[in-house]
Amino acid sequence: VKPNLYTAEPVCPDGQLQCGNGECISKSFFCDKKPDCSDGSDENACTVDEDPNRAEICDKSVCVLPNCFCSPDGTVAPGVDGGKLEINNIPQMITLTFAGAVNGDNINVYNKLFHPERVNPNGCTARATFFVSHKYTNYSAVQELHRVGHEIGVFSITNNEDPKYWTEGNYDTWLGEMAGARLIVERFANITDGTVVGVRAPYLRVGGNEQFNMMTDQFFLYDSSITAPLGRVPIWPYTLQFRM
């Protein structure tokens, strides 16, 4: 049974939608993985195109830099569509990231990679982001990475090997794994400047709304788990106020 999401005339109070059996419930209850309509229809129209709580399509009139950036197909670089920049004049950017435990098995490799003589074109030394998992991590090594200028993010506490643990995890699962990991990193690596703001999900298994609602509540600024398909036209990074 499908809900009656689109009717010629309003049939429910503001902020509510109609179930398949005519019952009205809050719009926020639709597609939350819990049946709230007595016929369960609120969980039967939850594809990317059907979900009434889905993110809106990119609206460049309200999505403005520096706080928001999007493009209808994800391929437009900032400034190019407005004629301010030529695509050939935008420098290539390479982001170096590592995920997992930091310990004696790999810290010497990181030190060799990021020696003082390896610099960016502007003369600044190259740095990376380390998404740290708790298991097997040496936090004195994490503290040293942070001290010399690398960014520290979180990669979970348990690094659970079951992919469904992440894709089907509820809010509390993501809260415990990621916010909990940040508390541990800040405590044992003595990172007190509030810079642990990035998340990467193990096996790149994104947790959907459960993950992103947790991130919003806990002031995580970005996720580094979503992958873009390989293609001749690159996908430009953009913020998540609008749908992908």
Side-chain angles (χ1 to χ4, degrees):
V1 179
K2 294 280 190 177
N4 302 316
L5 299 179
Y6 305 102
T7 56
E9 298 291 335
V11 294
C12 294
D14 287 346
Q16 295 188 1
L17 294 174
Q18 190 178 56
C19 305
N21 60 5
E23 178 185 2
C24 291
I25 65 171
S26 172
K27 177 182 176 182
S28 63
F29 292 159
F30 282 75
C31 300
D32 63 352
K33 299 183 179 180
K34 296 180 293 183
D36 295 286
C37 296
S38 57
D39 61 1
S41 60
D42 56 308
E43 300 302 313
N44 293 337
C46 296
T47 66
V48 171
D49 295 318
E50 293 178 309
D51 186 347
N53 294 304
R54 65 188 181 277
E56 299 295 328
I57 295 173
C58 173
D59 183 349
K60 295 188 71 64
S61 66
V62 297
C63 185
V64 180
L65 288 169
N67 297 318
C68 180
F69 177 75
C70 66
S71 66
D73 64 358
T75 64
V76 179
V80 173
D81 53 343
K84 296 179 181 179
L85 296 173
E86 294 290 336
I87 191 70
N88 292 335
N89 292 330
I90 297 178
Q92 182 182 29
M93 294 182 293
I94 299 174
T95 302
L96 296 175
T97 65
F98 302 89
V102 175
N103 52 43
D105 291 336
N106 51 34
I107 192 63
N108 290 332
V109 175
Y110 299 146
N111 290 336
K112 290 179 181 178
L113 284 174
F114 300 103
H115 54 75
E117 289 75 31
R118 177 163 286 149
V119 297
N120 288 304
N122 63 0
C124 294
T125 51
R127 292 291 180 256
T129 298
F130 292 84
F131 296 97
V132 178
S133 59
H134 174 61
K135 195 174 183 179
Y136 304 125
T137 283
N138 179 335
Y139 285 99
S140 63
V142 175
Q143 182 180 21
E144 179 62 14
L145 288 172
H146 176 261
R147 186 192 68 80
V148 298
H150 296 289
E151 182 188 18
I152 305 300
V154 292
F155 192 57
S156 80
I157 294 177
T158 66
N159 198 18
N160 192 296
E161 295 180 359
D162 181 4
K164 290 185 177 180
Y165 178 82
W166 305 104
T167 54
E168 299 178 4
N170 60 25
Y171 181 98
D172 289 336
T173 297
W174 284 95
L175 178 68
E177 290 282 0
M178 299 303 179
R182 178 166 62 184
L183 288 173
I184 293 171
V185 167
E186 290 177 337
R187 171 81 179 271
F188 292 106
N190 194 30
I191 299 175
T192 59
D193 56 4
T195 57
V196 183
V197 294
V199 166
R200 177 172 290 173
Y203 308 100
L204 305 181
R205 305 291 279 193
V206 182
N209 289 343
E210 303 290 342
Q211 174 188 345
F212 290 106
N213 286 335
M214 179 282 298
M215 289 176 62
T216 299
D217 292 346
Q218 296 298 314
F219 303 101
F220 284 106
L221 297 184
Y222 71 92
D223 167 82
S224 184
S225 312
I226 301 172
T227 57
L230 292 175
R232 296 185 65 184
V233 179
I235 302 296
W236 191 269
Y238 53 93
T239 54
L240 294 177
Q241 286 91 340
F242 293 91
R243 65 187 288 187
M244 295 180 285

